Amino acid sequence: MNAVEPFAADLLVTGGTVYPVDPERSRAEAFAVRDGRILAVGSAADLERWRGPETRTMDLAGGFAMPGLIDVHNHHAHAGRAELYELAFPNTASLDDIVDAVRRYAATRGPDEWIVGSNWGTGLLDELSRPAARRALDDAAGGRPVLLTDDSHHNRWASSRALTLAGIDARTPDPEAGHILRDPATGEPTGVLLEAAGLLVEAVAAPAVALTAEQDRAASARGIEILHSYGITAFQDAAISLPQMRALAALDADGGLDAWVVSSMTVNDQIFGYAELGDALLAHRDELTTTHHRPDFVKIFLDGTPPAHSGAFLDPYLPSAEYGDDFHGGTTMPAEELLDWLRRTAAQGVSAKIHCTGDASVRMVLDAVETIRAEGHTRPIYQIAHGQFIAAEDLPRFAQLGVVADISPFLWFPGVIADALGTVRPAEEVAGLQPNRSLIDAGALVAGGSDWPVSETPNPWEGIQGLVTRADPSGRRPGTLGPEQAITLAEAIEVFTVNGARAMGLDDTTGSLAPGLSADFAVFDDNPFALPVEKLVHLRPRATYFAGRAVHRRE
């Protein structure tokens, strides 16, 4: 080792392409790691000066090393729970597929056990609302109570037994912020429950399907294990509960939290049925903050989902028998209440992620943040989550106000959810879904999230490929969605690395391979810049490293 250097690296990574995602260095040959952090990045020859007698060498063998990928919007514990403890099926499943899955699962359950699971496609709303569909569900379940969640995780489909246990019948009024779909001929509930109506059944099912503290830890750990398998080393849980926060803190205390996790403490809940919300969660923030778990955000659901007519829009929905021809949807709270939440949390140094699926809710957030910034609160980070629909005049306001575009899930190409949106919104709006090129050109910080388990997997390369091509990475759907909104591969990788770190307030910690940052990186066999773009979706890491330690190796 060159005598100028006072200490040696623990690890030298060399023998391939290093892509730092760092404006100071576009490419490198090697990097050095010490005490879990990047020590130096450069040519293989230059980095030899950091070699000591105990230094280990990782030979990339011609592979490609890049920063660990970052998912700015997921529900990792729900995904882990679904895999470990619930029935799961893809959002492309037909009614018959779902009924068959329920029948097979029911055969493994006791006669009165609840069956909970997901994700039925939102495009099935009409079909599931027919009496024949519920009869098929009842038959498949053998009379067991069933509660199945859709791919947005905002809506539920319940069996007759579940409705009876929840006391839902023709006389049951719609709850606030929810809607019970009913048979027009009889007034009886169909079993489809939109938004907060699903909580009527969730409340009854909860005691039977509640997890222990140990199971909550297992669900989080499994979710993170799956994220590692895709090269993800940092993520933001988009709407967390108190038991899930405790699970993350416990994992870190035991040395088992191998990811940077930013939590969004849920303020209002019309879909999950959490026991503690808002101030009750904020009260636990300090005690549950650990080295790797940072509950630095609140989560506000400002509207619902467009297919359920619960997204808030400036222009009306397409005409329908139930909603008429001048229905705009609405927000979950008035502008004054939103502003109050942002003021109070800003005073505590807490940032906010705000769910907006319609352009009216996006505008309400931008207006509120404009007031907050004018009042001198420059430090909180504000993320507009989803934001698939944004009025053209509001695009430049993201950069002007320092508002992050959290683009999630992967809706920038043809697919099941885009199809469902096309049934309720004008075709020209859906064609311009997720205006990522326009946001970037206007100077906005765009950060990518999977919204997993709303998406079938958290595979960031599915999102990256779709950002570049605006075509379905699976190849199942023809055509493109708004090809003028495509971005470059380099930009798309930034969306899922350094941009995510900035959006989460972690840019001083991770997101790039730069000196001083955590040694979080993923190694791939192939250089994505040398692959045909349609092959990006198939990339899987050979290995994933967190703080210089291997946390995943491909079998």
Side-chain angles (χ1 to χ4, degrees), residues 62-108:
F64 181 90
M66 64 177 290
L69 291 149
I70 295 177
D71 187 339
V72 80
H73 190 126
N74 70 37
H75 304 274
H76 82 288
H78 287 285
R81 173 179 179 146
E83 173 157 318
L84 293 176
Y85 308 116
E86 297 178 353
L87 169 64
F89 46 85
N91 67 357
T92 54
S94 66
L95 172 59
D96 288 343
D97 294 335
I98 296 168
V99 168
D100 287 344
V102 169
R103 181 174 287 106
R104 290 192 299 271
Y105 193 79
T108 70

Side-chain angles (χ1 to χ4, degrees), residues 38 68 99 280 362 449 462 506 514 527:
I38 302 295
V99 168
V362 169
E462 179 183 348
L506 294 178
N527 182 335

Side-chain angles (χ1 to χ4, degrees), residues 108-167:
T108 70
R109 306 287 101 180
D112 294 313
E113 282 191 64
W114 278 83
I115 297 173
V116 295
S118 57
N119 296 332
W120 50 269
T122 309
L124 292 177
L125 267 172
D126 289 343
E127 189 173 2
L128 300 188
S129 300
R130 297 168 189 161
R134 199 175 85 199
R135 287 195 297 270
L137 178 63
D138 293 342
D139 177 70
R144 295 170 181 82
V146 182
L147 187 62
L148 304 178
T149 304
D150 78 337
D151 53 7
S152 75
H153 281 241
H154 280 246
N155 309 305
R156 307 289 190 272
W157 184 34
S159 68
S160 297
R161 178 83 181 282
L163 293 173
T164 298
L165 291 172

Side-chain angles (χ1 to χ4, degrees), residues 267 298-300 302 333 335-354 364-373 375 377 380-383 403:
V267 164
V298 292
K299 169 64 174 291
I300 298 171
L302 194 55
M333 61 181 69
E336 296 78 12
E337 185 178 353
L338 172 65
L339 185 57
D340 178 65
W341 271 110
L342 298 190
R343 277 196 180 113
R344 291 198 292 116
T345 51
Q348 299 174 62
V350 176
S351 299
K353 180 189 287 286
I354 305 145
M364 183 184 287
V365 173
L366 294 171
D367 290 346
V369 173
E370 186 170 14
T371 299
I372 292 293
R373 298 298 193 211
E375 292 174 352
H377 296 292
I381 299 169
Y382 295 109
Q383 302 174 0
V403 173

Side-chain angles (χ1 to χ4, degrees), residues 188-204:
E188 291 293 328
T190 64
V192 175
L193 307 167
L194 305 184
E195 302 291 344
L199 298 185
L200 300 175
V201 181
E202 288 278 359
V204 178

